[in-house]
Amino acid sequence: MRADRLVSLVLLLRQRGRMTAETLARELEVSTRTVLRDIEALSAAGVPVYAERGRHGGFALLPDFQTALTGLNHDEALALLVAGSRRGAQLFGLGSALASAMLKVVDALPEGLRDRAADAAQRLLIDPETDLLSRRVAVEEMSDAIVAEVRRAVFAGHKLRIHYAAVDQAPRWRTVDPVGLVTVREQGYLLAKRAGEDRTYRLSRVLAAEELDEPAQRPDTVDLDRAWQERNARFRTGGDKVAVLVRVDPARREHLVGTALAVCAEEADADGWLRLNVIFQDSRHAEWALWQHATDAEVLAPQWLRTSLCNRAAAITARYGPPS
């Protein structure tokens, strides 16, 4: 950990120039005393860091102390910076490592390319916290320590004990054979096997994790994309899922699809509307989702959902209609 911090300290001084011990401490999330000890360690190791006294003093590096990364063009450098703004690393407990890596990459770029790429990156926003209607994107909180333990077991190929809180069940311990990690719509999942059967666990519901020494019983290679699609198909057809045949205004298609679990079929009607066969979690989910679209969508089947929406509309009319 200290080695990573020393590298980060050097890169901060390279990019920003003179910085006070207090500012460095805030950036590195350590105490001022720790920063001073790190400065001494760098000096002892031959890194040309020096102190400037006075009101505007601080620590700085000699101007000629730098590295260069050649071979990257502008778009390649920009792609790296944009990749660093994605949340996959945070979901898998690699947020601090990603930040450190991006700091190193930016620092190693030639000066002119570094400035142009950094300016361009400021003009791109990837996955903001809210959409145009001010709806916040749901981001699940996960313990970095727990996710790191899960990640180690996945990479090492060891069995994993997890204290897991399934929906509507008391948390309990499970021993699984981890296969891989997947992130979908700001949610992280562990794909694993348990007693030879495929299992999928949401990382935010893992309350504790322990990597075991015993090797995991799993194939040497895995196609995660295929594995995810297979589990997704089983999920859509299992349990109390509800299939709905619905007509929708094309302008509202994306919103409808965004509230459904899956779209199984889609075709265009003669009037320009779209006919979709969509899957919802249960009856309450289906009624809630279709109600949001008012007259921009029409349920064709099942009949009980048409009746339920009709009854709800009648109740609203009775409540807000003119007095008799």
Side-chain angles (χ1 to χ4, degrees), residues 158-163 172-178 192-195 199 201 210 212 214:
H158 291 166
K159 286 185 177 293
L160 178 70
R161 288 186 72 232
I162 56 174
H163 195 215
R172 64 188 182 90
W173 286 94
R174 298 167 166 85
T175 299
V176 302
D177 298 301
K193 288 185 174 293
R194 184 164 173 255
R199 293 289 186 268
Y201 301 99
E210 177 187 359
L212 305 179
E214 184 180 354

Side-chain angles (χ1 to χ4, degrees), residues 92 167 248 254 275 306:
F92 295 148
V167 178
V248 63
E254 293 305 317
R275 184 177 296 232
R306 288 179 60 91

Side-chain angles (χ1 to χ4, degrees), residues 106-137:
V106 172
D107 178 77
L109 292 173
E111 184 174 356
L113 180 57
R114 179 172 65 240
D115 294 340
R116 293 198 303 274
D119 179 72
Q122 292 177 2
R123 304 179 188 280
L124 298 173
L125 177 61
I126 310 298
D127 293 336
E129 292 185 358
T130 60
D131 62 14
L132 288 176
L133 298 178
S134 297
R135 294 173 299 197
R136 295 188 64 84
V137 176

Side-chain angles (χ1 to χ4, degrees), residues 5-19:
R5 189 175 68 245
L6 292 175
V7 172
S8 296
L9 193 157
V10 171
L11 293 176
L12 282 170
L13 293 177
R14 273 280 299 112
Q15 290 186 3
R16 303 189 189 180
R18 186 187 307 109
M19 299 178 68

Side-chain angles (χ1 to χ4, degrees), residues 62-315:
L62 292 178
D64 293 336
F65 184 76
Q66 60 182 346
T67 59
L69 179 65
T70 59
L72 288 180
N73 60 36
H74 175 269
D75 286 348
E76 291 169 339
L78 181 59
L80 286 174
L81 296 178
V82 170
S85 69
R86 308 294 291 190
R87 274 191 47 80
Q90 280 80 359
L91 290 175
F92 295 148
L94 293 169
S96 59
L98 176 64
S100 176
M102 294 311 301
L103 195 63
K104 295 174 184 177
V105 168
V106 172
D107 178 77
L109 292 173
E111 184 174 356
L113 180 57
R114 179 172 65 240
D115 294 340
R116 293 198 303 274
D119 179 72
Q122 292 177 2
R123 304 179 188 280
L124 298 173
L125 177 61
I126 310 298
D127 293 336
E129 292 185 358
T130 60
D131 62 14
L132 288 176
L133 298 178
S134 297
R135 294 173 299 197
R136 295 188 64 84
V137 176
V139 178
E140 298 184 331
E141 296 296 330
M142 293 173 287
S143 164
D144 287 346
I146 292 175
V147 176
E149 189 75 3
V150 172
R151 189 178 69 246
R152 282 192 291 268
V154 170
F155 293 161
H158 291 166
K159 286 185 177 293
L160 178 70
R161 288 186 72 232
I162 56 174
H163 195 215
Y164 190 74
V167 178
D168 298 328
Q169 296 182 23
R172 64 188 182 90
W173 286 94
R174 298 167 166 85
T175 299
V176 302
D177 298 301
V179 174
L181 294 167
V182 177
T183 174
V184 179
R185 293 184 179 179
E186 306 294 332
Q187 296 176 352
Y189 297 89
L190 167 67
L191 273 57
K193 288 185 174 293
R194 184 164 173 255
E197 299 293 328
D198 290 340
R199 293 289 186 268
T200 304
Y201 301 99
R202 185 174 292 188
L203 290 177
S204 61
R205 294 178 183 158
V206 179
L207 307 180
E210 177 187 359
E211 178 189 0
L212 305 179
D213 293 332
E214 184 180 354
Q217 300 300 310
R218 66 181 191 182
D220 293 334
T221 60
V222 62
D223 184 342
L224 276 184
D225 185 62
R226 179 178 179 180
W228 179 257
Q229 294 302 328
E230 291 174 349
R231 295 177 194 221
N232 191 29
R234 289 196 295 270
F235 177 76
R236 291 199 306 264
T237 57
D240 298 325
K241 308 299 184 299
V242 172
V244 177
L245 180 61
V246 58
R247 296 177 69 249
V248 63
D249 185 329
R252 298 281 287 170
R253 178 196 179 279
E254 293 305 317
H255 187 260
L256 174 63
V257 170
T259 59
L261 292 180
V263 178
C264 297
E266 178 176 348
E267 62 180 353
D269 271 353
D271 60 0
W273 276 36
L274 301 174
R275 184 177 296 232
L276 282 72
N277 193 325
V278 293
I279 305 296
F280 294 100
Q281 181 70 45
D282 50 32
S283 58
R284 293 179 61 187
H285 180 204
E287 182 177 347
W288 170 85
L290 272 303
W291 179 256
Q292 312 304 311
H293 297 275
T295 58
D296 290 330
E298 178 189 2
V299 174
L300 302 179
Q303 181 58 45
W304 63 260
L305 182 55
R306 288 179 60 91
T307 301
S308 179
L309 292 170
C310 179
N311 292 340
R312 178 181 282 203

